[in-house]
Amino acid sequence: KQCDFLILDYINQLDLGNAHGENLATSLGHAMKRIKDLAVEENIPALVIAQMNREIEKRNDNYKHKLSDLRDSGVLEQAADVVYFINRPELQGNGKGEDGESMVGIGTINILKNRNGATGTTKFRYNTHMTRISDY
């Protein structure tokens, strides 16, 4: 009972092995199940960070994420209770929001899946000089 929070940064770097001839998706599914079982057993939250695939770079709306933007998305979508993407439009050369507001110093969290709550988008402010985020 010495661990209060599990963070895995990032799941795509796990050496999943292939001892049983499983494909990557199956191995990833087993790893996610073990991580989730551990979190439930220890009664702690688990944050698993995953890589995005490159398809998003080919779209014009690369700041509007989809669950399929996750690399090996099917397995991750199934296992996750919550899936969200963090975006800082300013870094992508998009200094204006959809309503024309300045997005300099403003980021978004897009919650695409939430088993026990709402989905949607929320904004936050960030200060790059202090590596700090705060309420919008």
Side-chain angles (χ1 to χ4, degrees), residues 29-53:
H30 289 308
M32 284 294 295
K33 181 178 181 335
R34 288 192 300 265
I35 292 165
K36 195 167 185 174
D37 288 347
L38 175 64
V40 169
E41 180 182 313
E42 296 298 321
N43 195 29
I44 58 172
L47 173 66
V48 177
I49 300 171
Q51 183 176 350
M52 296 172 59
N53 63 40

Side-chain angles (χ1 to χ4, degrees), residues 11-28:
I11 193 158
N12 303 87
Q13 284 292 311
L14 281 179
D15 182 8
L16 298 173
N18 215 357
H20 306 288
E22 298 174 334
N23 63 27
L24 179 61
T26 303
S27 296
L28 189 60

Side-chain angles (χ1 to χ4, degrees), residues 103-124:
M103 293 300 285
V104 175
I106 298 173
T108 60
I109 300 173
N110 190 3
I111 303 166
L112 296 179
K113 178 181 179 182
N114 188 353
R115 276 192 218 273
N116 301 313
T119 60
T121 301
T122 189
K123 295 179 183 175
F124 63 90

Side-chain angles (χ1 to χ4, degrees), residues 73-104:
S73 61
V75 174
L76 298 175
E77 286 176 44
Q78 268 186 322
D81 291 329
V82 180
V83 177
Y84 62 89
F85 291 88
I86 299 173
N87 187 36
R88 291 172 41 197
E90 176 184 7
L91 296 180
Q92 299 168 337
N94 187 7
K96 299 273 184 206
E98 291 180 7
D99 57 0
E101 117 185 80
S102 173
M103 293 300 285
V104 175

